[in-house]
Amino acid sequence: MRSTKTTLRNLPYRLVLRFGRRFNLRGVKLVIVGQNKQKAELLREKMDSALNLIQANSPKFWGRVQKFIPNILIFGAHPYYAVYISEVMLCDIDEKYAASETTEPASLAMTLIHEATHGYLEQRGLAYEEKQRARIEHICVGAEAAFASRIPGSDNLVREAQSRFNYSAEHWTDEAFIQRDLDQIKSLGAPRWLQRLAAYLHNRRTRRAVRREETGGAALDREGK
């Protein structure tokens, strides 16, 4: 899913990577937050199986995972299965998704490949900007499908990946991302003052985006200093 480079926003990730429950899996650091020892061990085993699938079936994608997501976090205070955090080279996976009985190691492996591909594309200069976001996501889904096709008896996994090609371009707009974040805050039972603050920041960001389009970026320069 999406990536971010904002240093302040990523400070909690840096702290979690340093102080969370850590495991070393095949040279990749796994950090699990907020789980007891038994559940953390189950998640560790599941993630190790996912990494093993990648390592055994695709040297190309295994190298991509090692290079671009050497840090994997199972936490996920966001409305996505996973997100890629480029500044700390991290894949943050939603705990409910990772722990679900319906999420097999192969599906986790595909998720990791998807997020590692975000890092690969970013290194090649393809920034995660709104105008090319749908294209980037299609490339990442294509990587998932390519990997799934290497696993014996994987027709269902290939179909699972290909179904994600059906998202419209509007699904990847800034407006859609912000609305999903607002819905997530509400679903978590956040107090009304926090919901109102999030809505205010959303509206403010929208107004700034409109002014930026109207002035060719001058508004961003003035307000962004």
Side-chain angles (χ1 to χ4, degrees), residues 76-97:
H78 49 68
Y80 309 99
Y81 286 158
V83 296
Y84 172 63
I85 313 297
S86 60
E87 189 180 58
V88 287
M89 302 183 76
L90 167 75
C91 174
D92 177 15
I93 300 178
D94 179 67
E95 182 272 332
K96 290 182 179 178
Y97 165 67

Side-chain angles (χ1 to χ4, degrees), residues 53 57 104 106-107 110 145 147-160:
L53 277 173
N57 289 282
E104 300 178 356
S107 295
M110 292 164 64
F147 169 75
S149 67
R150 294 172 173 266
I151 302 175
S154 63
D155 290 348
N156 62 320
L157 295 175
V158 174
R159 288 193 294 270
E160 177 186 323

Side-chain angles (χ1 to χ4, degrees), residues 201-217:
L201 293 174
H202 158 57
N203 292 333
R204 183 171 181 267
R205 179 175 175 179
T206 300
R207 290 194 299 271
R208 289 176 62 184
V210 170
R211 289 199 299 272
R212 182 164 66 248
E213 291 179 0
E214 293 174 345
T215 61

Side-chain angles (χ1 to χ4, degrees), residues 191-205:
R192 289 188 177 277
W193 68 264
L194 183 56
Q195 294 182 38
R196 288 195 294 269
L197 175 60
Y200 164 76
L201 293 174
H202 158 57
N203 292 333
R204 183 171 181 267
R205 179 175 175 179

Side-chain angles (χ1 to χ4, degrees), residues 5-29:
K5 280 190 171 182
T6 308
T7 300
L8 184 60
R9 178 181 293 181
N10 294 328
L11 179 60
Y13 283 113
R14 294 185 182 278
L15 294 175
V16 167
L17 286 176
R18 185 170 181 178
F19 299 109
R21 189 189 295 269
R22 291 177 289 180
F23 304 90
N24 190 305
L25 302 180
R26 305 169 189 273
V28 175
K29 181 192 294 183

Side-chain angles (χ1 to χ4, degrees), residues 35-48:
Q35 306 299 324
N36 60 39
K37 186 176 181 180
Q38 182 180 10
K39 192 165 185 179
E41 180 60 22
L42 290 174
L43 288 168
R44 184 202 68 79
E45 291 177 359
K46 200 171 190 179
M47 188 58 66
D48 187 54

Side-chain angles (χ1 to χ4, degrees), residues 98-213:
S100 172
E101 294 182 358
T102 62
T103 303
E104 300 178 356
S107 295
L108 281 175
M110 292 164 64
T111 297
L112 293 174
I113 287 169
H114 182 114
E115 302 308 325
T117 301
H118 276 297
Y120 168 76
L121 294 174
E122 185 173 285
Q123 186 191 61
R124 295 176 68 86
L126 199 57
Y128 200 69
E129 298 175 352
E130 186 177 41
K131 61 184 178 181
Q132 55 192 17
R133 201 168 289 155
R135 176 191 173 201
I136 290 172
E137 291 294 342
H138 278 204
I139 293 172
C140 293
V141 170
E144 288 187 65
F147 169 75
S149 67
R150 294 172 173 266
I151 302 175
S154 63
D155 290 348
N156 62 320
L157 295 175
V158 174
R159 288 193 294 270
E160 177 186 323
Q162 290 176 338
S163 69
R164 289 189 274 276
F165 283 120
N166 296 328
Y167 288 124
S168 66
E170 288 72 24
H171 183 81
W172 305 113
T173 62
D174 290 340
E175 180 74 16
F177 271 118
I178 294 170
Q179 187 58 55
R180 285 192 287 273
D181 288 340
L182 291 174
D183 291 342
Q184 172 77 354
I185 291 172
K186 185 176 181 179
S187 70
L188 291 174
R192 289 188 177 277
W193 68 264
L194 183 56
Q195 294 182 38
R196 288 195 294 269
L197 175 60
Y200 164 76
L201 293 174
H202 158 57
N203 292 333
R204 183 171 181 267
R205 179 175 175 179
T206 300
R207 290 194 299 271
R208 289 176 62 184
V210 170
R211 289 199 299 272
R212 182 164 66 248
E213 291 179 0

